[in-house]
Amino acid sequence: QRQLEEAANAARAARVMLQIEGQGAFETGSDPAVAPARNALQDQDGKPVGRLVTLRPGKVPPAFVELAV
C-alpha cells in the first residue's frame, strides 16, 4: 500500500486503483479526480494479471454532470 501511495504521488495522480488477480484490489488517493487512464497489466509471458487505473486531480464540470445523469 505504501509503495502504491509513493508511486501515485510521484506520478501526481489524484487517485490510483490497482487490481491484481489473486491478490486483491488496492486504492490510494481521493476525489475529486477526473480523466481515468486504464491499463491492463501482464506478466512476463504476456498473460493478463490485473489492471491499473490512474486519475488526475480535478472536478467534473457541472454541465457534464447534468448530461451524465
Side-chain angles (χ1 to χ4, degrees):
Q1 184 68 41
R2 182 178 53 85
Q3 289 177 326
L4 183 62
E5 291 170 5
E6 290 173 359
N9 288 335
R12 296 183 181 160
R15 188 170 186 174
V16 175
M17 294 169 276
L18 174 65
Q19 298 172 329
I20 302 175
E21 292 178 20
Q23 295 187 28
F26 308 90
E27 292 186 36
T28 188
S30 61
D31 292 325
V34 297
R38 294 173 181 87
N39 296 288
L41 302 176
Q42 299 177 341
D43 67 10
Q44 65 272 15
D45 298 321
K47 293 173 27 182
V49 295
R51 175 171 287 222
L52 177 67
V53 180
T54 57
L55 294 99
R56 304 298 296 172
K59 293 184 179 181
V60 177
F64 181 77
V65 172
E66 289 175 16
L67 291 173
V69 173

